[in-house]
């Protein structure tokens, strides 16, 4: 190693041509932001505007809040089917093999908490594509507790610890759930077998949200991601999960590591549900509501390929704890949707990493893209990459460092109309352009308890229903009398017999 190699370590090549975001995704414009109409306000999910301003605010120079306890591994995504009719994304073209990393986690527990506690389990994937980092940040359930990001801090607070004593509190959890009817579908999943997977290898994963694919012709489709374990489902009972929590708080972390070390590489089949763009308006459930699923009899699973995890991290902290996944990491041919939780997460996840790691968290090796990054963002805490002395720090400029692919590269061009923001998602009829605080548009069969009821009655078998009742009763221990009655009313709306069955079982547990 020479002095020159020390001086130049981390130095970017001079920027040439169109700019990208820090994740490597192409920038439409460095000059014109997205607004609600020509003279309307900026939109929160203008990803580049938010990223550019948020990074700028941090140019002058802790544990995740949810999903703190996690583990992961590296591998490859293999595309075996032709889905080019739906997406132009390079990562999804037949024959493509893309390096990736996966992180599995619990939601509520802290870093040192047991990973077998009953909880929703995070299932987050990053693909290091030729068009920039592409992240799918989901769970082991196809739904979530909420449909609006405004409620997310309240939900997490209710699942964490009481301020007065620092303890988890059943009454707080059930008080929030029963006053938030849209949670019913997800709580039904949580209290079922899926709430206690035996290992990360023996569970399915989901993107959960509705996303968008766009093909080469510019045609848009709505899409949901499904990751089906080839290892088969294995779950703990509630008692087994609690017993393992006492024996080995890192059971799932250890299982994944040891399986890969021994050559027993876990595989998941990648499948999608595709909804033609025009069918979203008339579907029986609002297709952008995260508390709902699209039934597979309506939109069957379409095979895409598979991914395999075959390499453990070299350093857990550097490559898993500092892994900064972000649903705003989308690439050409993929996009977001009118799902309000997804739009909120596209801002909140990146900002959480700025607060947790720093404005330059994407400079860390595990967060770098494999394609060249060309950006005007610079300085700030923990800067690793730096621009050369001749590289300008502003746009437009008289040098060869360009601007967004829609810009002319010579002027700010702020008087030009750059058209629809198709890089975010295509949605020509978003029910008007006036800003509003409106409820989700109700479709014919929408209702907070409809899908939870079907899950309980038609998907669970008799043994699963009995375990479900046992799990709910166990989770109720410690609720107040008032909240207890709300729990019975809540589950009675899921199934007319369920509230009475829970009342009987809960009373019996106290006799």
């Amino acid at each position: 190693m020479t002095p020159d190699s020390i001086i130049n370590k981390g130095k970017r090549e001079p920027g040439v041509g169109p700019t990208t975001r820090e994740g490597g995704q192409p920038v439409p414009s460095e000059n014109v932001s997205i607004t609600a109409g020509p003279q309307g306000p900026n939109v929160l999910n203008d990803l580049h505007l938010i990223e550019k301003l948020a990074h700028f605010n941090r140019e002058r120079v802790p544990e995740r809040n949810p999903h703190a306890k996690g583990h992961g591994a590296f591998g490859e995504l293999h595309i075996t089917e032709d889905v080019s009719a739906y997406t132009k994304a390079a990562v999804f073209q037949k024959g493509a093999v893309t390096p990736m990393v996966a992180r599995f986690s619990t939601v509520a527990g802290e870093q040192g908490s047991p990973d077998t506690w009953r909880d929703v389990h995070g299932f987050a994937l990053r693909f290091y594509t030729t068009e920039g980092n592409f992240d799918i940040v989901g769970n082991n359930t196809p739904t979530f507790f909420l449909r609006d990001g405004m409620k997310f801090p309240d939900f997490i607070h209710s699942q964490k610890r009481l301020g007065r004593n620092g303890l988890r509190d059943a009454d707080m959890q059930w008080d929030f759930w029963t006053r938030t009817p849209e949670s019913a579908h997800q709580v039904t999943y949580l209290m079922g077998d899926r709430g206690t997977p035996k290992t990360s290898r023996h569970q399915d994963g989901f993107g959960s949200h509705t996303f968008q694919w766009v093909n080469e012709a510019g045609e848009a489709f709505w899409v949901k991601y499904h990751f089906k374990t080839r290892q088969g489902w294995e779950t703990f009972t509630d008692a087994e999960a609690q017993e393992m929590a006492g024996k080995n708080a890192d059971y799932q972390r250890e299982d994944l590591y040891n399986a890969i070390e021994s050559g027993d590489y876990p595989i998941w089949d990648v499948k999608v549900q595709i909804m033609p763009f025009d069918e979203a308006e008339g579907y029986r459930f609002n297709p952008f509501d995260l508390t709902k699923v699209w039934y597979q009899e309506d939109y069957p699973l379409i095979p895409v390929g598979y991914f395999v995890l075959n390499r453990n991290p070299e350093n857990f902290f550097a490559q898993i704890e500092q892994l900064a996944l972000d649903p705003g990491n989308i690439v050409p041919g993929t996009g977001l949707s009118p799902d309000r939780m997804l739009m909120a997460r596209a801002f909140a996840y990146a900002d959480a990493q700025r607060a947790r790691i720093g404005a330059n968290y994407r400079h860390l090796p595990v967060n770098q893209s494999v394609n060249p990054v060309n950006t005007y963002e610079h300085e700030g805490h923990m800067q690793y990459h730096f621009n050369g002395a001749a590289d300008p720090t502003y746009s437009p400029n008289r040098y060869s460092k360009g601007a967004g692919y829609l810009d002319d590269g010579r002027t700010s061009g702020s008087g030009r109309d750059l058209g629809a923001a198709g890089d975010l998602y295509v949605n020509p009829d978003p029910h008007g352009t006036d800003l509003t605080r409106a409820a989700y548009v109700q479709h014919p069969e929408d209702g907070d308890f409809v899908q939870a009821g079907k899950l309980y009655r038609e998907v669970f078998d008799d043994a699963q229903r009995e375990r479900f009742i046992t799990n709910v009763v166990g989770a109720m221990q410690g609720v107040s009398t008032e909240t207890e009655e709300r729990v019975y009313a809540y589950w009675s709306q899921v199934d007319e017999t369920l509230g009475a069955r829970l009342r009987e079982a809960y009373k019996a547990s106290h006799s």
Side-chain angles (χ1 to χ4, degrees):
M1 185 170 286
T2 67
D4 279 346
S5 67
I6 297 293
I7 292 170
N8 292 304
K9 186 175 177 62
K11 180 179 178 179
R12 284 186 177 134
E13 293 295 320
V16 177
T19 52
T20 67
R21 291 166 56 208
E22 281 278 5
Q25 305 90 346
V27 171
S29 176
E30 295 281 4
N31 302 305
V32 183
S33 59
I34 302 172
T35 57
Q39 299 189 77
N42 288 107
V43 298
L44 175 66
N45 53 324
D46 182 346
L47 300 176
H48 186 55
L49 172 69
I50 293 295
E51 178 175 289
K52 192 170 184 178
L53 293 180
H55 192 284
F56 175 76
N57 290 342
R58 293 159 173 82
E59 284 183 359
R60 304 289 176 245
V61 195
E63 170 185 307
R64 292 170 174 87
N65 195 343
H67 296 284
K69 177 64 179 287
H71 53 279
F74 292 80
E76 296 93 28
L77 170 68
H78 297 254
I79 303 302
T80 59
E81 310 300 324
D82 184 0
V83 291
S84 60
Y86 306 113
T87 179
K88 63 183 180 181
V91 65
F92 290 123
Q93 300 311 300
K94 186 175 181 179
V97 179
T98 303
M100 63 167 294
V101 62
R103 185 177 187 269
F104 307 100
S105 59
T106 55
V107 173
E110 298 81 11
Q111 278 200 44
S113 63
D115 52 23
T116 60
W117 274 351
R118 180 172 298 279
D119 204 346
V120 175
H121 286 246
F123 196 109
L125 311 174
R126 165 168 295 161
F127 306 102
Y128 297 94
T129 88
T130 57
E131 299 175 301
N133 291 347
F134 174 53
D135 296 354
I136 301 176
V137 187
N139 289 314
N140 71 333
T141 59
T143 59
F144 195 63
F145 300 89
L146 309 170
R147 61 171 67 98
D148 194 315
M150 182 70 83
K151 293 183 183 178
F152 188 73
D154 303 296
F155 163 67
I156 293 299
H157 290 165
S158 76
Q159 308 304 297
K160 287 287 190 177
R161 297 177 182 272
L162 281 173
R164 67 174 179 267
N165 58 19
L167 299 175
R168 299 283 294 275
D169 185 74
D171 190 70
M172 178 168 64
Q173 292 180 342
W174 286 102
D175 190 35
F176 179 85
W177 285 337
T178 58
R179 294 175 187 276
T180 310
E182 67 205 63
S183 67
H185 198 189
Q186 178 75 329
V187 179
T188 306
Y189 276 118
L190 175 63
M191 292 298 160
D193 293 345
R194 209 179 301 229
T196 49
K198 186 175 182 180
T199 79
S200 297
R201 298 180 296 125
H202 295 91
Q203 63 176 356
D204 291 344
F206 303 86
S208 301
H209 298 280
T210 295
F211 297 88
Q212 189 170 85
W213 276 1
V214 180
N215 65 18
E216 283 286 0
E219 298 171 307
F221 302 86
W222 303 116
V223 60
K224 282 186 177 287
Y225 299 104
H226 297 247
F227 309 104
K228 299 295 188 181
T229 177
R230 287 192 189 175
Q231 290 70 241
W233 273 29
E234 291 187 21
T235 61
F236 281 136
T237 65
D238 198 62
E240 289 170 339
Q242 293 188 45
E243 180 182 7
M244 184 55 70
K247 289 181 176 179
N248 184 355
D250 300 318
Y251 176 77
Q252 293 182 354
R253 178 181 294 182
E254 184 177 73
D255 173 84
L256 180 64
Y257 183 88
N258 288 343
I260 294 174
E261 285 294 291
S262 68
D264 184 11
Y265 303 140
I267 298 175
W268 284 261
D269 289 309
V270 178
K271 301 185 178 184
V272 294
Q273 289 177 286
I274 296 289
M275 178 183 289
F277 185 90
D278 293 335
E279 293 184 16
E281 189 71 17
Y283 187 49
R284 51 180 169 158
F285 305 106
N286 188 311
F288 310 114
D289 181 348
L290 183 57
T291 70
K292 302 291 197 307
V293 298
W294 304 352
Y295 286 137
Q296 291 182 29
E297 59 261 34
D298 299 331
Y299 297 100
L301 295 180
I302 297 172
V304 176
Y306 68 92
F307 72 80
V308 56
L309 299 180
N310 52 19
R311 295 175 179 86
N312 278 315
E314 292 289 323
N315 181 275
F316 180 87
F317 178 81
Q319 297 176 313
I320 301 301
E321 185 57 29
Q322 292 196 120
L323 175 64
L325 294 145
D326 173 9
N329 277 337
I330 54 178
V331 294
T334 70
L336 307 182
S337 80
D339 179 336
R340 295 185 197 177
M341 279 294 298
L342 177 57
M343 289 189 284
R345 293 178 75 209
F347 164 73
Y349 271 57
D351 202 54
Q353 302 300 347
R354 295 183 194 104
R356 195 173 75 90
I357 304 175
N360 290 310
Y361 71 90
R362 290 188 178 93
H363 292 194
L364 296 171
V366 74
N367 296 321
Q368 293 176 15
S369 65
V370 295
N371 60 317
V373 171
N374 182 18
T375 179
Y376 290 98
E377 295 171 4
H378 74 144
E379 299 181 355
H381 289 289
M382 301 300 290
Q383 176 182 295
Y384 178 77
H385 294 301
F386 59 93
N387 299 322
D391 238 16
T393 58
Y394 60 92
S395 171
N397 59 68
R398 63 185 180 86
Y399 303 93
S400 58
K401 186 165 186 168
Y405 60 80
L406 298 181
D407 297 325
D408 63 19
R410 300 182 302 277
T411 69
S412 289
S414 57
R416 295 191 304 124
D417 183 355
L418 299 184
D423 57 301
L424 191 64
Y425 65 90
V426 177
N427 193 23
D429 183 23
H431 289 277
T433 57
D434 291 338
L435 295 186
T436 183
R437 288 189 175 93
Y440 264 79
V441 176
Q442 292 287 295
H443 287 221
E445 297 183 37
D446 274 325
D448 291 325
F449 300 102
V450 173
Q451 292 195 349
K454 182 170 182 176
L455 177 62
Y456 174 76
R457 288 186 299 273
E458 301 180 27
V459 179
F460 291 177
D461 58 27
D462 288 343
Q464 287 176 308
R465 281 190 286 270
E466 289 303 316
R467 289 195 296 272
F468 171 84
I469 289 171
T470 299
N471 296 338
V472 172
V473 168
M476 287 174 62
Q477 302 302 317
V479 300
S480 65
T481 302
E482 178 190 359
T483 300
E484 179 187 342
E485 292 301 320
R486 295 188 65 85
V487 173
Y488 302 143
Y490 178 86
W491 290 114
S492 292
Q493 293 178 84
V494 171
D495 181 86
E496 61 183 10
T497 67
L498 185 52
R501 293 189 65 188
L502 285 168
R503 182 187 297 273
E504 180 182 354
Y506 187 72
K507 298 301 183 188
S509 73
H510 286 75
S511 60

